[in-house]
Every structure is written in C-alpha cells, then in structure tokens.
Amino acid sequence: MALDRWIALILLGFSLTYGYTAWFTMDADLAPFMQRNPIWPSTFPKVLSILGILASTIILLGLEKGEPSELDIDYRRLHEYKLGQAVLLLALMVTYALVLRPLGFLISTFSFLVLGSAFLGERKWFVMVLVGAIATLVVWYLVQVVLGIYLRPLPGFLGG
C-alpha cells in the first residue's frame, strides 16, 4: 500500500476515535439549560470528525487520484528535493514560537519574515525588509487595535 494510503488509514482511525468522543462522551455532562441550545460544545468536533472520515475514505479508496503528474511528490526521490530549506524553515518556525514572548511580537515577527524569505531564496534585502515591516505592523495593528487582543509589541526591557 502506498504511503498516502497508510497516512489516510492512520487519520481514519484518529477521526473515528475523535468522532466517537464527540458524539458519545462530550455532551454527557452538559447542564440542562445547555441541552436545548442548537449548537453544543461538541458541534465543531462532530463536523471535523465527519470531514476527516470522508477525506480519509476518499484517499483510501483512491478516488482522488487522477492522471499522475510531474508535480506529485515521489517519496522514493526525496533526496532530490530541497529538504534543507524545509528543515531550516521548520526550525525557524519553532524558534519564532520560542522567542515570541521574550522578544515581543514586532521584533520576532519581523525577524521571522525576513529570515524566512532569505532561507527560501529571496535576495533583495530592501524588498524583504519593507514587506516584513509592513506585514508585521499591519498584523499587529489589526490584532491589537481592531480586535482588541493585547500583543506585547516589544521586549520587557524596552518597555513592552
């Protein structure tokens, strides 16, 4: 069996377990006034489990397969892909998550965007810095001011 079908089989087992939990155990301890609500705390997990079961079954039955194309990833030729860039980007994501609180949102997000684009091959530093600064400031403004969710903009030693 192909790798994608093994993964689909594992996801099917996970979705079935998640669905069983959502359908039969999550709503057992609901308060009586909540039992009359149209949407329960288990509604979204129920929908997710159904979608997971459908997607996994489609992959297991091979219904999504069309004509093989050159864009499909061949796991037997994995050494020919740019795995170094992918590993560097994953390490950068983990580092971003770890330094988000100590360095603050603005510095860590700006650094992540600039370094990430450099790792992926962009060489125009002016463009990387400009796009990183604009994207960081726009996201911070939307989350902080528009949504009203506090994000520490700067590190604590700089007044954040």
Short mmCIF file of all heavy atoms in Angstrom, two decimals, residues 45-109:
data_model
loop_
_atom_site.label_atom_id
_atom_site.label_comp_id
_atom_site.label_asym_id
_atom_site.label_seq_id
_atom_site.Cartn_x
_atom_site.Cartn_y
_atom_site.Cartn_z
N PRO A 45 -16.36 19.69 16.81
CA PRO A 45 -15.67 18.40 16.72
C PRO A 45 -16.44 17.35 15.92
O PRO A 45 -15.84 16.53 15.23
CB PRO A 45 -15.51 17.97 18.18
CG PRO A 45 -15.48 19.25 18.93
CD PRO A 45 -16.42 20.16 18.20
N LYS A 46 -17.76 17.38 15.98
CA LYS A 46 -18.55 16.43 15.18
C LYS A 46 -18.36 16.69 13.69
O LYS A 46 -18.16 15.75 12.91
CB LYS A 46 -20.04 16.54 15.55
CG LYS A 46 -20.37 15.96 16.89
CD LYS A 46 -21.83 16.21 17.23
CE LYS A 46 -22.15 15.71 18.63
NZ LYS A 46 -23.53 16.02 19.04
N VAL A 47 -18.41 17.95 13.30
CA VAL A 47 -18.21 18.30 11.90
C VAL A 47 -16.80 17.93 11.45
O VAL A 47 -16.61 17.36 10.36
CB VAL A 47 -18.49 19.81 11.67
CG1 VAL A 47 -18.10 20.25 10.29
CG2 VAL A 47 -19.95 20.11 11.93
N LEU A 48 -15.80 18.21 12.29
CA LEU A 48 -14.42 17.87 11.94
C LEU A 48 -14.24 16.37 11.79
O LEU A 48 -13.54 15.91 10.88
CB LEU A 48 -13.46 18.39 13.01
CG LEU A 48 -13.09 19.85 12.94
CD1 LEU A 48 -12.15 20.20 14.08
CD2 LEU A 48 -12.46 20.19 11.62
N SER A 49 -14.86 15.59 12.66
CA SER A 49 -14.70 14.14 12.56
C SER A 49 -15.35 13.60 11.29
O SER A 49 -14.79 12.72 10.63
CB SER A 49 -15.28 13.45 13.79
OG SER A 49 -16.68 13.61 13.85
N ILE A 50 -16.50 14.14 10.92
CA ILE A 50 -17.16 13.69 9.68
C ILE A 50 -16.31 14.05 8.47
O ILE A 50 -16.12 13.22 7.56
CB ILE A 50 -18.57 14.30 9.58
CG1 ILE A 50 -19.48 13.68 10.64
CG2 ILE A 50 -19.16 14.10 8.19
CD1 ILE A 50 -20.83 14.36 10.77
N LEU A 51 -15.78 15.26 8.44
CA LEU A 51 -14.93 15.67 7.32
C LEU A 51 -13.65 14.82 7.25
O LEU A 51 -13.20 14.44 6.17
CB LEU A 51 -14.58 17.14 7.42
CG LEU A 51 -15.73 18.12 7.18
CD1 LEU A 51 -15.28 19.55 7.43
CD2 LEU A 51 -16.29 17.96 5.79
N GLY A 52 -13.06 14.52 8.41
CA GLY A 52 -11.87 13.67 8.45
C GLY A 52 -12.15 12.27 7.96
O GLY A 52 -11.35 11.67 7.23
N ILE A 53 -13.29 11.71 8.36
CA ILE A 53 -13.66 10.36 7.91
C ILE A 53 -13.88 10.35 6.41
O ILE A 53 -13.42 9.44 5.71
CB ILE A 53 -14.90 9.87 8.68
CG1 ILE A 53 -14.53 9.60 10.14
CG2 ILE A 53 -15.50 8.63 8.04
CD1 ILE A 53 -15.72 9.37 11.06
N LEU A 54 -14.58 11.37 5.89
CA LEU A 54 -14.82 11.43 4.44
C LEU A 54 -13.52 11.58 3.65
O LEU A 54 -13.31 10.86 2.66
CB LEU A 54 -15.76 12.59 4.11
CG LEU A 54 -17.22 12.41 4.49
CD1 LEU A 54 -18.00 13.69 4.23
CD2 LEU A 54 -17.83 11.26 3.70
N ALA A 55 -12.66 12.49 4.08
CA ALA A 55 -11.40 12.71 3.35
C ALA A 55 -10.52 11.47 3.40
O ALA A 55 -9.93 11.07 2.38
CB ALA A 55 -10.67 13.91 3.94
N SER A 56 -10.43 10.82 4.55
CA SER A 56 -9.59 9.62 4.67
C SER A 56 -10.14 8.48 3.83
O SER A 56 -9.38 7.75 3.20
CB SER A 56 -9.52 9.18 6.14
OG SER A 56 -8.97 10.19 6.92
N THR A 57 -11.45 8.35 3.80
CA THR A 57 -12.06 7.29 2.99
C THR A 57 -11.83 7.53 1.51
O THR A 57 -11.55 6.59 0.76
CB THR A 57 -13.56 7.20 3.30
OG1 THR A 57 -13.73 7.02 4.71
CG2 THR A 57 -14.21 6.06 2.56
N ILE A 58 -11.94 8.77 1.09
CA ILE A 58 -11.70 9.10 -0.32
C ILE A 58 -10.27 8.74 -0.72
O ILE A 58 -10.02 8.17 -1.78
CB ILE A 58 -12.00 10.58 -0.59
CG1 ILE A 58 -13.50 10.81 -0.57
CG2 ILE A 58 -11.40 11.05 -1.90
CD1 ILE A 58 -13.92 12.26 -0.61
N ILE A 59 -9.30 9.03 0.16
CA ILE A 59 -7.90 8.71 -0.14
C ILE A 59 -7.68 7.20 -0.10
O ILE A 59 -6.97 6.65 -0.94
CB ILE A 59 -6.97 9.45 0.84
CG1 ILE A 59 -7.04 10.95 0.59
CG2 ILE A 59 -5.52 8.96 0.68
CD1 ILE A 59 -6.33 11.79 1.60
N LEU A 60 -8.29 6.52 0.86
CA LEU A 60 -8.12 5.07 0.95
C LEU A 60 -8.67 4.36 -0.27
O LEU A 60 -8.10 3.38 -0.75
CB LEU A 60 -8.81 4.53 2.21
CG LEU A 60 -7.99 4.55 3.48
CD1 LEU A 60 -8.84 4.09 4.66
CD2 LEU A 60 -6.77 3.67 3.36
N LEU A 61 -9.80 4.85 -0.79
CA LEU A 61 -10.40 4.23 -1.97
C LEU A 61 -9.74 4.67 -3.26
O LEU A 61 -10.02 4.11 -4.33
CB LEU A 61 -11.89 4.53 -2.01
CG LEU A 61 -12.71 3.96 -0.85
CD1 LEU A 61 -14.15 4.42 -0.96
CD2 LEU A 61 -12.61 2.45 -0.82
N GLY A 62 -8.88 5.66 -3.20
CA GLY A 62 -8.17 6.13 -4.39
C GLY A 62 -9.01 6.97 -5.31
O GLY A 62 -8.71 7.09 -6.49
N LEU A 63 -10.08 7.57 -4.80
CA LEU A 63 -10.97 8.36 -5.64
C LEU A 63 -10.37 9.71 -6.03
O LEU A 63 -10.82 10.33 -6.99
CB LEU A 63 -12.30 8.58 -4.92
CG LEU A 63 -13.08 7.32 -4.58
CD1 LEU A 63 -14.34 7.67 -3.79
CD2 LEU A 63 -13.42 6.54 -5.83
N GLU A 64 -9.36 10.18 -5.29
CA GLU A 64 -8.77 11.48 -5.58
C GLU A 64 -7.70 11.39 -6.65
O GLU A 64 -7.24 12.40 -7.16
CB GLU A 64 -8.20 12.11 -4.30
CG GLU A 64 -6.75 11.79 -4.00
CD GLU A 64 -6.46 10.36 -3.57
OE1 GLU A 64 -7.37 9.56 -3.37
OE2 GLU A 64 -5.27 10.04 -3.44
N LYS A 65 -7.29 10.19 -6.99
CA LYS A 65 -6.20 10.02 -7.96
C LYS A 65 -6.70 10.30 -9.37
O LYS A 65 -7.73 9.84 -9.78
CB LYS A 65 -5.67 8.58 -7.90
CG LYS A 65 -5.10 8.21 -6.56
CD LYS A 65 -3.63 8.16 -6.62
CE LYS A 65 -3.15 7.68 -5.26
NZ LYS A 65 -1.90 8.17 -4.93
N GLY A 66 -5.94 11.07 -10.05
CA GLY A 66 -6.20 11.32 -11.46
C GLY A 66 -5.00 10.82 -12.25
O GLY A 66 -4.34 9.85 -11.88
N GLU A 67 -4.71 11.53 -13.30
CA GLU A 67 -3.52 11.22 -14.07
C GLU A 67 -2.29 11.59 -13.25
O GLU A 67 -2.24 12.65 -12.65
CB GLU A 67 -3.52 12.02 -15.37
CG GLU A 67 -4.65 11.65 -16.30
CD GLU A 67 -4.40 10.33 -16.99
OE1 GLU A 67 -3.23 10.03 -17.31
OE2 GLU A 67 -5.37 9.59 -17.17
N PRO A 68 -1.27 10.73 -13.19
CA PRO A 68 -0.06 11.12 -12.47
C PRO A 68 0.60 12.31 -13.16
O PRO A 68 0.69 12.36 -14.38
CB PRO A 68 0.84 9.89 -12.53
CG PRO A 68 0.12 8.87 -13.32
CD PRO A 68 -1.21 9.41 -13.72
N SER A 69 1.03 13.27 -12.37
CA SER A 69 1.67 14.45 -12.95
C SER A 69 3.07 14.60 -12.37
O SER A 69 3.46 13.92 -11.43
CB SER A 69 0.84 15.69 -12.65
OG SER A 69 0.92 16.01 -11.28
N GLU A 70 3.82 15.50 -12.96
CA GLU A 70 5.18 15.74 -12.52
C GLU A 70 5.21 16.50 -11.19
O GLU A 70 6.23 16.56 -10.54
CB GLU A 70 5.94 16.53 -13.58
CG GLU A 70 6.13 15.77 -14.87
CD GLU A 70 6.84 16.61 -15.91
OE1 GLU A 70 7.40 17.66 -15.53
OE2 GLU A 70 6.82 16.23 -17.08
N LEU A 71 4.09 17.10 -10.79
CA LEU A 71 4.04 17.88 -9.57
C LEU A 71 3.87 17.02 -8.32
O LEU A 71 4.03 17.50 -7.22
CB LEU A 71 2.91 18.91 -9.63
CG LEU A 71 3.04 19.95 -10.74
CD1 LEU A 71 1.82 20.85 -10.75
CD2 LEU A 71 4.30 20.76 -10.56
N ASP A 72 3.50 15.74 -8.50
CA ASP A 72 3.34 14.87 -7.35
C ASP A 72 4.68 14.58 -6.71
O ASP A 72 5.70 14.41 -7.38
CB ASP A 72 2.69 13.54 -7.77
CG ASP A 72 1.25 13.71 -8.20
OD1 ASP A 72 0.65 14.73 -7.82
OD2 ASP A 72 0.73 12.83 -8.91
N ILE A 73 4.71 14.52 -5.38
CA ILE A 73 5.94 14.24 -4.66
C ILE A 73 6.17 12.74 -4.65
O ILE A 73 5.32 11.96 -4.25
CB ILE A 73 5.86 14.78 -3.21
CG1 ILE A 73 5.77 16.30 -3.23
CG2 ILE A 73 7.06 14.32 -2.40
CD1 ILE A 73 5.60 16.91 -1.87
N ASP A 74 7.32 12.34 -5.12
CA ASP A 74 7.69 10.93 -5.14
C ASP A 74 8.61 10.68 -3.96
O ASP A 74 9.73 11.18 -3.92
CB ASP A 74 8.40 10.59 -6.45
CG ASP A 74 8.69 9.11 -6.60
OD1 ASP A 74 8.22 8.32 -5.74
OD2 ASP A 74 9.37 8.74 -7.56
N TYR A 75 8.12 9.92 -2.98
CA TYR A 75 8.92 9.73 -1.76
C TYR A 75 10.16 8.89 -2.01
O TYR A 75 11.07 8.88 -1.20
CB TYR A 75 8.06 9.11 -0.64
CG TYR A 75 7.58 7.72 -0.92
CD1 TYR A 75 8.32 6.62 -0.53
CD2 TYR A 75 6.38 7.50 -1.56
CE1 TYR A 75 7.88 5.35 -0.78
CE2 TYR A 75 5.93 6.23 -1.82
CZ TYR A 75 6.68 5.15 -1.42
OH TYR A 75 6.25 3.89 -1.66
N ARG A 76 10.25 8.21 -3.14
CA ARG A 76 11.47 7.45 -3.46
C ARG A 76 12.58 8.38 -3.95
O ARG A 76 13.74 8.01 -3.92
CB ARG A 76 11.16 6.40 -4.52
CG ARG A 76 10.27 5.28 -3.98
CD ARG A 76 9.89 4.37 -5.10
NE ARG A 76 9.03 5.11 -6.02
CZ ARG A 76 7.84 4.72 -6.41
NH1 ARG A 76 7.36 3.58 -6.00
NH2 ARG A 76 7.12 5.44 -7.22
N ARG A 77 12.22 9.58 -4.41
CA ARG A 77 13.21 10.55 -4.87
C ARG A 77 13.28 11.75 -3.92
O ARG A 77 13.51 12.87 -4.33
CB ARG A 77 12.84 11.05 -6.27
CG ARG A 77 12.83 9.97 -7.31
CD ARG A 77 12.49 10.49 -8.67
NE ARG A 77 11.66 11.70 -8.62
CZ ARG A 77 11.60 12.59 -9.59
NH1 ARG A 77 12.29 12.43 -10.67
NH2 ARG A 77 10.82 13.65 -9.48
N LEU A 78 13.06 11.50 -2.65
CA LEU A 78 13.02 12.57 -1.66
C LEU A 78 14.34 13.32 -1.55
O LEU A 78 14.37 14.51 -1.24
CB LEU A 78 12.63 11.99 -0.30
CG LEU A 78 11.88 12.88 0.65
CD1 LEU A 78 10.65 13.47 0.00
CD2 LEU A 78 11.50 12.12 1.89
N HIS A 79 15.44 12.64 -1.84
CA HIS A 79 16.76 13.26 -1.75
C HIS A 79 16.97 14.34 -2.82
O HIS A 79 17.87 15.16 -2.70
CB HIS A 79 17.85 12.20 -1.86
CG HIS A 79 17.84 11.48 -3.16
ND1 HIS A 79 16.97 10.44 -3.42
CD2 HIS A 79 18.56 11.65 -4.28
CE1 HIS A 79 17.18 10.00 -4.64
NE2 HIS A 79 18.13 10.71 -5.19
N GLU A 80 16.14 14.36 -3.86
CA GLU A 80 16.29 15.35 -4.93
C GLU A 80 15.60 16.68 -4.60
O GLU A 80 15.81 17.66 -5.30
CB GLU A 80 15.73 14.79 -6.23
CG GLU A 80 16.48 13.59 -6.74
CD GLU A 80 15.86 13.01 -7.99
OE1 GLU A 80 14.98 13.68 -8.59
OE2 GLU A 80 16.23 11.88 -8.37
N TYR A 81 14.77 16.69 -3.59
CA TYR A 81 14.06 17.91 -3.23
C TYR A 81 14.93 18.77 -2.32
O TYR A 81 15.92 18.32 -1.76
CB TYR A 81 12.73 17.58 -2.54
CG TYR A 81 11.79 16.81 -3.42
CD1 TYR A 81 11.46 15.50 -3.13
CD2 TYR A 81 11.24 17.39 -4.55
CE1 TYR A 81 10.59 14.78 -3.94
CE2 TYR A 81 10.38 16.68 -5.37
CZ TYR A 81 10.05 15.39 -5.06
OH TYR A 81 9.21 14.69 -5.87
N LYS A 82 14.51 20.01 -2.12
CA LYS A 82 15.27 20.94 -1.28
C LYS A 82 14.85 20.77 0.18
O LYS A 82 14.15 21.59 0.75
CB LYS A 82 15.04 22.37 -1.74
CG LYS A 82 15.56 22.63 -3.14
CD LYS A 82 15.37 24.06 -3.54
CE LYS A 82 15.93 24.27 -4.92
NZ LYS A 82 15.80 25.66 -5.36
N LEU A 83 15.31 19.68 0.77
CA LEU A 83 14.94 19.39 2.15
C LEU A 83 15.63 20.33 3.13
O LEU A 83 15.09 20.60 4.21
CB LEU A 83 15.29 17.94 2.50
CG LEU A 83 14.43 16.88 1.81
CD1 LEU A 83 14.89 15.50 2.22
CD2 LEU A 83 12.99 17.07 2.17
N GLY A 84 16.79 20.84 2.78
CA GLY A 84 17.50 21.76 3.67
C GLY A 84 16.68 23.01 3.94
O GLY A 84 16.60 23.47 5.08
N GLN A 85 16.08 23.56 2.89
CA GLN A 85 15.25 24.74 3.07
C GLN A 85 14.04 24.44 3.94
O GLN A 85 13.67 25.24 4.80
CB GLN A 85 14.77 25.27 1.72
CG GLN A 85 15.82 25.99 0.93
CD GLN A 85 15.26 26.51 -0.37
OE1 GLN A 85 14.26 26.01 -0.89
NE2 GLN A 85 15.92 27.51 -0.93
N ALA A 86 13.43 23.29 3.73
CA ALA A 86 12.26 22.92 4.53
C ALA A 86 12.62 22.74 6.00
O ALA A 86 11.91 23.21 6.89
CB ALA A 86 11.64 21.64 3.98
N VAL A 87 13.74 22.09 6.27
CA VAL A 87 14.16 21.89 7.66
C VAL A 87 14.53 23.22 8.30
O VAL A 87 14.19 23.47 9.47
CB VAL A 87 15.34 20.88 7.71
CG1 VAL A 87 15.96 20.83 9.08
CG2 VAL A 87 14.87 19.49 7.29
N LEU A 88 15.22 24.08 7.56
CA LEU A 88 15.56 25.41 8.10
C LEU A 88 14.30 26.21 8.41
O LEU A 88 14.23 26.88 9.45
CB LEU A 88 16.42 26.18 7.10
CG LEU A 88 17.91 25.97 7.17
CD1 LEU A 88 18.62 26.70 6.03
CD2 LEU A 88 18.46 26.43 8.49
N LEU A 89 13.31 26.15 7.53
CA LEU A 89 12.07 26.88 7.76
C LEU A 89 11.31 26.33 8.97
O LEU A 89 10.77 27.09 9.77
CB LEU A 89 11.20 26.84 6.51
CG LEU A 89 10.10 27.88 6.43
CD1 LEU A 89 10.67 29.29 6.52
CD2 LEU A 89 9.31 27.72 5.15
N LEU A 90 11.30 25.02 9.12
CA LEU A 90 10.66 24.42 10.30
C LEU A 90 11.39 24.82 11.58
O LEU A 90 10.76 25.14 12.60
CB LEU A 90 10.61 22.90 10.18
CG LEU A 90 9.58 22.36 9.19
CD1 LEU A 90 9.75 20.86 9.02
CD2 LEU A 90 8.18 22.69 9.64
N ALA A 91 12.71 24.82 11.55
CA ALA A 91 13.48 25.25 12.72
C ALA A 91 13.23 26.73 13.01
O ALA A 91 13.13 27.13 14.19
CB ALA A 91 14.97 25.01 12.48
N LEU A 92 13.08 27.53 11.97
CA LEU A 92 12.78 28.95 12.17
C LEU A 92 11.40 29.13 12.79
O LEU A 92 11.20 30.00 13.64
CB LEU A 92 12.88 29.70 10.84
CG LEU A 92 12.73 31.21 10.89
CD1 LEU A 92 13.85 31.83 11.71
CD2 LEU A 92 12.73 31.79 9.50
N MET A 93 10.44 28.31 12.41
CA MET A 93 9.09 28.38 12.99
C MET A 93 9.12 28.04 14.48
O MET A 93 8.46 28.71 15.29
CB MET A 93 8.14 27.44 12.26
CG MET A 93 7.77 27.87 10.88
SD MET A 93 6.70 26.62 10.14
CE MET A 93 6.71 27.14 8.47
N VAL A 94 9.86 27.01 14.83
CA VAL A 94 9.98 26.63 16.24
C VAL A 94 10.67 27.75 17.02
O VAL A 94 10.25 28.12 18.13
CB VAL A 94 10.73 25.30 16.37
CG1 VAL A 94 11.08 25.00 17.82
CG2 VAL A 94 9.91 24.16 15.78
N THR A 95 11.72 28.31 16.44
CA THR A 95 12.43 29.41 17.10
C THR A 95 11.51 30.61 17.27
O THR A 95 11.52 31.27 18.33
CB THR A 95 13.67 29.80 16.29
OG1 THR A 95 14.48 28.65 16.09
CG2 THR A 95 14.47 30.88 16.98
N TYR A 96 10.70 30.91 16.26
CA TYR A 96 9.74 32.02 16.35
C TYR A 96 8.77 31.80 17.51
O TYR A 96 8.49 32.73 18.28
CB TYR A 96 8.98 32.16 15.04
CG TYR A 96 7.86 33.16 15.08
CD1 TYR A 96 8.12 34.52 15.13
CD2 TYR A 96 6.53 32.75 15.07
CE1 TYR A 96 7.09 35.44 15.17
CE2 TYR A 96 5.50 33.66 15.11
CZ TYR A 96 5.79 35.01 15.15
OH TYR A 96 4.77 35.91 15.20
N ALA A 97 8.27 30.59 17.65
CA ALA A 97 7.34 30.30 18.74
C ALA A 97 8.02 30.45 20.09
O ALA A 97 7.38 30.90 21.06
CB ALA A 97 6.78 28.90 18.58
N LEU A 98 9.30 30.12 20.18
CA LEU A 98 10.00 30.21 21.46
C LEU A 98 10.39 31.64 21.83
O LEU A 98 10.44 31.97 23.01
CB LEU A 98 11.25 29.33 21.42
CG LEU A 98 11.00 27.82 21.36
CD1 LEU A 98 12.30 27.08 21.20
CD2 LEU A 98 10.25 27.34 22.59
N VAL A 99 10.66 32.48 20.85
CA VAL A 99 11.11 33.84 21.16
C VAL A 99 10.00 34.88 21.08
O VAL A 99 10.25 36.06 21.29
CB VAL A 99 12.29 34.27 20.26
CG1 VAL A 99 13.47 33.35 20.40
CG2 VAL A 99 11.85 34.43 18.82
N LEU A 100 8.79 34.46 20.80
CA LEU A 100 7.69 35.42 20.64
C LEU A 100 7.43 36.21 21.92
O LEU A 100 7.29 37.42 21.88
CB LEU A 100 6.42 34.69 20.20
CG LEU A 100 5.23 35.56 19.83
CD1 LEU A 100 5.60 36.52 18.73
CD2 LEU A 100 4.06 34.69 19.41
N ARG A 101 7.41 35.55 23.06
CA ARG A 101 7.19 36.28 24.32
C ARG A 101 8.41 37.08 24.76
O ARG A 101 8.27 38.25 25.10
CB ARG A 101 6.78 35.31 25.42
CG ARG A 101 5.32 35.00 25.37
CD ARG A 101 4.91 34.23 26.58
NE ARG A 101 3.57 33.73 26.37
CZ ARG A 101 2.59 33.92 27.21
NH1 ARG A 101 2.81 34.55 28.33
NH2 ARG A 101 1.39 33.47 26.94
N PRO A 102 9.60 36.48 24.78
CA PRO A 102 10.74 37.27 25.27
C PRO A 102 11.08 38.47 24.39
O PRO A 102 11.43 39.53 24.91
CB PRO A 102 11.90 36.28 25.29
CG PRO A 102 11.31 34.94 25.18
CD PRO A 102 9.97 35.09 24.57
N LEU A 103 10.98 38.35 23.08
CA LEU A 103 11.36 39.46 22.20
C LEU A 103 10.21 40.36 21.82
O LEU A 103 10.42 41.42 21.25
CB LEU A 103 12.01 38.92 20.92
CG LEU A 103 13.38 38.28 21.06
CD1 LEU A 103 13.92 37.87 19.70
CD2 LEU A 103 14.35 39.25 21.73
N GLY A 104 8.99 39.94 22.06
CA GLY A 104 7.83 40.73 21.67
C GLY A 104 7.41 40.41 20.24
O GLY A 104 8.15 39.81 19.45
N PHE A 105 6.20 40.84 19.90
CA PHE A 105 5.62 40.49 18.61
C PHE A 105 6.33 41.16 17.45
O PHE A 105 6.61 40.52 16.43
CB PHE A 105 4.13 40.87 18.59
CG PHE A 105 3.45 40.53 17.30
CD1 PHE A 105 3.04 39.23 17.06
CD2 PHE A 105 3.24 41.48 16.33
CE1 PHE A 105 2.43 38.90 15.86
CE2 PHE A 105 2.62 41.17 15.14
CZ PHE A 105 2.22 39.87 14.91
N LEU A 106 6.63 42.44 17.57
CA LEU A 106 7.18 43.18 16.43
C LEU A 106 8.55 42.66 16.01
O LEU A 106 8.79 42.39 14.83
CB LEU A 106 7.23 44.67 16.76
CG LEU A 106 5.89 45.35 16.99
CD1 LEU A 106 6.09 46.81 17.37
CD2 LEU A 106 5.01 45.23 15.76
N ILE A 107 9.44 42.49 16.96
CA ILE A 107 10.81 42.06 16.63
C ILE A 107 10.82 40.62 16.13
O ILE A 107 11.45 40.31 15.12
CB ILE A 107 11.74 42.23 17.85
CG1 ILE A 107 11.89 43.71 18.19
CG2 ILE A 107 13.09 41.60 17.60
CD1 ILE A 107 12.63 43.98 19.47
N SER A 108 10.12 39.74 16.83
CA SER A 108 10.16 38.32 16.45
C SER A 108 9.46 38.08 15.11
O SER A 108 9.94 37.31 14.28
CB SER A 108 9.56 37.45 17.54
OG SER A 108 8.24 37.84 17.81
N THR A 109 8.34 38.74 14.86
CA THR A 109 7.63 38.53 13.59
C THR A 109 8.40 39.13 12.43
O THR A 109 8.52 38.51 11.37
CB THR A 109 6.22 39.15 13.67
OG1 THR A 109 5.54 38.57 14.78
CG2 THR A 109 5.44 38.88 12.41
#
